[in-house]
Amino acid sequence: MFCEKAVELVRELHRMSDGQLPAFNEDGIRQVLEEMKALYEQNQSDVNEAKTEGKTELIPTVKFRHCCLLRNQRCIAAYLYDRLLRIRALRWEYGSVLPTTIRFHMCAEELEWFNQYKKSLATYMRSLGGEEGLDITQDMKPPKSLYIEVRCLKDHGEFEIDDGTVILLKKNSQHFLPRWKCEQLIRQGVLEHVIS
Amino acid sequence: MADALSEASELSGGEESQEEDVLTPAELIARLEEAWLNEKFSPELLENKSELVECVMEQLTHMEENLQRVRKGDLKASVHRMEIDRIRFVLSSYLRSRLQKIEKFFPHVLEKEKSRADGDPSFLSPEEFAFAKEYLANTEVYLKAVALRHMPPNLQSVDMLKAVPEPCLDSFVFLRVKERQENILVEPETDEQREYVVDLEEGSQHLMRYRTIAPLVASGAVQLI
């Protein structure tokens, strides 16, 4: 049956829970594109035949194939666009550098899109207000207290806080830090907010 | 909050007076909160408030500068620090929700901007406009490169305006009335109903379709909650 491959692509993403990015299904896309090519060629020859030999009974088949083509196009666009939305969400979650495991799941063009998006977003944030701009990927949750208790989940090296003190973020060590400084690290999974 | 801010504004030398109406810092923050809630709850992108954003950013910078001078361990400092954090959260959240809407509805946002008459106020700030244009171009280039250019010649373009969903103006919103309104026409939801008019009393709260009260949100007569 036509379009099945395309619908399968959409289903594949739909099955994934929000925010997960499965590997780019290059093979699936290729198969759909091949199907489209075949449909298109059949249509062309049928249209020619209908024109030259006046076979009007071919028209419904041509129309049907065209619908399949449109549907395939739409499914592929939906698949790609949905992946872009997921990739966009990753920028907000992980910051501008993505973990290699995720990059591995993206195709070259997606990485290109991501870099471009990163640039646009950075330009926008720099243009806000005064000289330095405002990083709106920070302050995701309303602040409850100034300092929070955090535990290191992995070695991160030295970390400087506002007043110039440098602390060493070592695995399993626990610190009492200004919240606005560690938000990003928590989202990256370096620190864990300890709620007692 | 007002206290922390007024100290900041004493040093700012009343820079808000450049605006048409002079705002105290407390009023400024109230305006920001209003804009923030409206933006957060309305389904479509509202008019940009870049002046307001700039003022708040200035205030934040001043407050940060003041804090630098306070000696370490002062109790007052941490209270002010908290205030800064809170204001920055509201500001960031406001800008974030705008950006999210721009990303979600980018073809429609740009279309609206294009069809806007010259004198009308712009919905997008220049920076947001640049961002939206880049986003559209980037996405189009991407779709073309990965799939569309491999498709049959008659299917190599996607009409973004049709492909990306429009904001749903018929969604319901909660609102509080700030200025009394008379004769608001409520359109029928189903075929059996007829349209009717309501009066909105000041201070009352309602649950209505956004489309009905969109002009009132824009004029500031009602506040989304």
Side-chain angles (χ1 to χ4, degrees), chain A residues 65-76:
Chain A
R65 285 201 201 102
H66 189 68
C67 283
C68 291
L69 279 169
L70 285 176
R71 190 172 166 80
N72 272 334
Q73 186 208 34
R74 184 148 179 88
C75 286
I76 287 204

Side-chain angles (χ1 to χ4, degrees), chain A residues 73 88 117 120 127 136, chain B residues 85 88 96 103 127 134 155:
Chain A
Q73 186 208 34
R88 175 210 165 267
Y117 177 71
S120 308
S127 69
I136 56 170
Chain B
D85 273 10
R88 208 180 40 217
R96 253 198 313 269
E103 284 173 1
E127 296 82 28
E134 278 176 36
L155 291 168

Side-chain angles (χ1 to χ4, degrees), chain B:
Chain B
M1 185 182 274
D3 179 44
L5 276 163
S6 59
E7 265 180 50
S9 76
E10 277 163 30
L11 283 145
S12 73
E15 270 166 56
E16 306 95 307
S17 55
Q18 289 162 355
E19 249 195 309
E20 286 164 31
D21 38 10
V22 183
L23 291 176
T24 68
E27 278 167 0
L28 180 69
I29 298 304
R31 288 259 185 111
L32 174 68
E33 281 182 0
E34 204 176 282
W36 171 51
L37 290 173
N38 277 343
E39 194 66 68
K40 240 180 138 67
F41 296 122
S42 84
E44 66 167 351
L45 190 74
L46 301 175
E47 204 181 304
N48 82 83
K49 302 247 192 292
S50 12
E51 268 185 14
L52 183 68
V53 172
E54 262 168 50
C55 280
V56 176
M57 286 287 288
E58 253 169 44
Q59 288 289 355
L60 280 175
T61 323
H62 283 297
M63 287 173 77
E64 297 259 14
E65 278 168 15
N66 287 351
L67 265 184
Q68 295 295 321
R69 281 186 269 120
V70 179
R71 75 195 145 76
K72 220 175 157 184
D74 195 340
L75 179 68
K76 240 166 77 183
S78 57
V79 176
H80 284 212
R81 178 87 243 173
M82 191 73 199
E83 277 316 315
I84 295 182
D85 273 10
R86 282 186 175 155
I87 297 169
R88 208 180 40 217
F89 163 74
V90 173
L91 184 65
S92 300
S93 174
Y94 169 68
L95 293 169
R96 253 198 313 269
S97 54
R98 286 186 64 83
L99 212 56
Q100 266 160 14
K101 282 188 210 172
I102 293 173
E103 284 173 1
K104 203 166 167 193
F105 308 120
F106 59 99
H108 306 282
V109 168
L110 284 170
E111 188 62 28
K112 201 166 167 185
E113 184 70 20
K114 234 189 278 167
S115 58
R116 166 179 72 95
D118 273 340
D120 289 351
S122 166
F123 278 83
L124 297 165
S125 70
E127 296 82 28
E128 286 168 341
F129 184 54
F131 178 84
K133 269 199 304 198
E134 278 176 36
Y135 192 81
L136 174 70
N138 190 15
T139 309
E140 271 177 347
V141 166
Y142 166 76
L143 287 178
K144 190 129 230 160
V146 179
L148 291 182
R149 70 192 171 94
H150 301 297
M151 289 186 184
N154 58 345
L155 291 168
Q156 288 195 349
S157 70
V158 170
D159 185 357
M160 288 290 191
L161 272 174
K162 279 189 196 143
V164 176
E166 269 181 87
C168 174
L169 299 183
D170 281 324
S171 57
F172 281 82
V173 289
F174 281 101
L175 59 116
R176 185 185 303 123
V177 184
K178 282 162 62 187
E179 291 159 27
R180 188 184 141 78
Q181 300 293 323
E182 277 170 10
N183 296 331
I184 300 296
L185 186 72
V186 180
E187 280 160 18
E189 274 163 60
T190 53
D191 290 340
E192 295 101 68
Q193 282 178 333
R194 265 202 235 149
E195 56 181 29
Y196 58 99
V197 291
V198 285
D199 292 348
L200 303 178
E201 295 294 335
E202 193 183 324
S204 61
Q205 298 185 5
H206 305 267
L207 173 62
M208 290 173 97
R209 257 183 307 173
Y210 176 75
R211 195 190 291 275
T212 320
I213 47 101
L216 299 177
V217 175
S219 71
V222 302
Q223 160 85 56
L224 301 185
I225 47 174

Side-chain angles (χ1 to χ4, degrees), chain A residues 155-170:
Chain A
D155 288 324
H156 188 68
E158 288 182 344
F159 184 62
E160 194 183 327
I161 50 175
D162 277 1
D163 54 5
T165 345
V166 177
I167 50 157
L168 183 65
L169 295 181
K170 217 169 161 253

Side-chain angles (χ1 to χ4, degrees), chain A residues 18-58:
Chain A
D18 275 346
Q20 270 185 312
L21 188 74
F24 186 73
N25 194 339
E26 208 180 334
D27 201 43
I29 299 264
R30 212 198 54 241
Q31 285 178 7
V32 179
L33 288 173
E34 270 166 17
E35 185 186 296
M36 289 179 77
K37 194 161 167 255
L39 283 169
Y40 183 71
E41 277 163 6
Q42 280 174 328
N43 255 5
Q44 289 250 296
S45 68
D46 276 8
V47 166
N48 280 339
E49 217 170 299
K51 263 191 205 150
T52 49
E53 294 167 37
K55 283 192 184 169
T56 42
E57 70 269 20
L58 287 174

Side-chain angles (χ1 to χ4, degrees), chain A residues 84 87 98-99 102-118, chain B residues 138 142:
Chain A
L84 287 191
I87 293 169
L98 290 181
I102 292 174
R103 296 173 73 94
F104 196 63
H105 281 175
M106 288 159 67
C107 70
E109 288 86 356
E110 282 176 328
L111 282 172
E112 179 58 31
W113 185 88
F114 177 78
N115 285 332
Q116 198 61 47
Y117 177 71
K118 215 162 72 179
Chain B
N138 190 15
Y142 166 76

